[in-house]
Amino acid sequence: MSAPYSEACPSVKNILLLDSDGKRVAVKYFSDDWPTNAAKEAFERVVFTKTQKTNARTEAEIAMFENYIVVYKFVQDLHFFVTGGDDENELILATVLTAFFDSVGTLLRGNVDKREALENLDLILLCIDEIVDGGIILETDPNVIAGKVASNSIDSAAPLSEQTLTQAFATAREHFTRSLLK
C-alpha cells in the first residue's frame, strides 16, 4: 500500500517573516504542531533567539530546533524562515526559502526592509499562498510567483495596458458607477 499523499510529498510546517527584534511581520502555519497562538509565538522566539547571532545574509543557513529543520536567511531588518519536519529534505526547504526570498525581493523592487514589507503585506501573504498551500509546495520559481501575485494585485490606478481584460472591465464599471452617482 502506498503512503498517503501528504507523507509522500515534501511539506512545509510554516513560513515566517520576522523583523530584527523577532516580532512578526508575516507568518503562516500549515501544521497543527503548534495548536495555540502562544505556542506559535514561543516557537518563533526560540528560532529567532537561536539564529540572530548567525550571519545568514549571503546564503541560507540550516539548523535543527525542537525536531524541526529550519532554513533561514536575513536581509536588512528582515529574517526569512522556512520550517519542515526533521525528515524533510533540506535542499527542498532551501528551495522554498529561496523562492519566498527572491519573489518578495522582486515584488518589493529590491527594497526589502520592514517598512516596505509592512506597506506591501498583502503581496507577501499572497506570495506565501502561491508557494505553499496546506503545507504542500506548489511553486518554487520566484518569477512565476511574483508574476502571479502581481497580476492578482494590480489596482485600478494602474494603466489599462497593465491590467487583464477582466480587471479593465471592473475598473471601467467602477468609474462608470462613480460618474452616475455624482
Side-chain angles (χ1 to χ4, degrees):
M1 190 167 155
S2 65
Y5 183 71
S6 61
E7 289 179 19
C9 285
S11 64
V12 172
K13 300 279 187 182
N14 63 44
I15 294 180
L16 310 173
L17 180 57
L18 306 177
D19 68 11
S20 57
D21 297 322
K23 304 283 186 251
R24 288 179 171 183
V25 175
V27 300
K28 188 128 187 197
Y29 285 81
F30 307 103
S31 165
D32 294 332
D33 293 9
W34 304 274
T36 65
N37 199 43
K40 292 173 183 171
E41 289 175 347
F43 178 76
E44 293 162 21
R45 270 192 306 278
V46 167
V47 167
F48 178 78
T49 304
K50 301 233 182 198
T51 60
Q52 70 179 0
K53 302 254 189 271
T54 62
N55 185 17
R57 296 201 178 272
T58 53
E59 59 185 45
E61 297 284 333
I62 301 169
M64 276 297 276
F65 302 110
E66 303 175 359
N67 297 323
Y68 298 103
I69 296 172
V70 179
V71 184
Y72 58 97
K73 186 171 183 176
F74 308 152
V75 64
Q76 304 278 12
D77 54 355
L78 292 176
H79 296 216
F80 293 75
F81 299 92
V82 173
T83 307
D86 60 0
D87 56 344
E88 288 300 333
N89 184 325
E90 294 89 352
L91 292 175
I92 291 175
L93 295 175
T95 302
V96 172
L97 175 71
T98 301
F100 182 42
F101 183 84
D102 290 349
S103 56
V104 167
T106 300
L107 290 165
L108 299 183
R109 293 176 175 78
N111 299 326
V112 183
D113 61 26
K114 182 180 176 181
R115 188 183 62 76
E116 272 305 303
L118 290 172
E119 287 177 5
N120 295 285
L121 190 58
D122 57 333
L123 298 180
I124 292 173
L125 293 171
L126 282 171
C127 213
I128 294 171
D129 289 342
E130 288 294 334
I131 298 168
V132 178
D133 184 24
I136 303 298
I137 301 163
L138 300 176
E139 182 63 65
T140 58
D141 183 336
N143 295 321
V144 170
I145 296 161
K148 285 181 179 179
V149 170
S151 70
N152 286 336
S153 65
I154 291 178
D155 60 7
S156 59
L160 286 178
S161 62
E162 294 179 15
Q163 296 182 9
T164 65
L165 194 55
T166 307
Q167 291 168 327
F169 280 131
T171 302
R173 186 173 49 244
E174 186 178 310
H175 288 287
F176 180 72
T177 306
R178 280 193 204 143
S179 67
L180 288 177
L181 295 174
K182 287 184 179 179

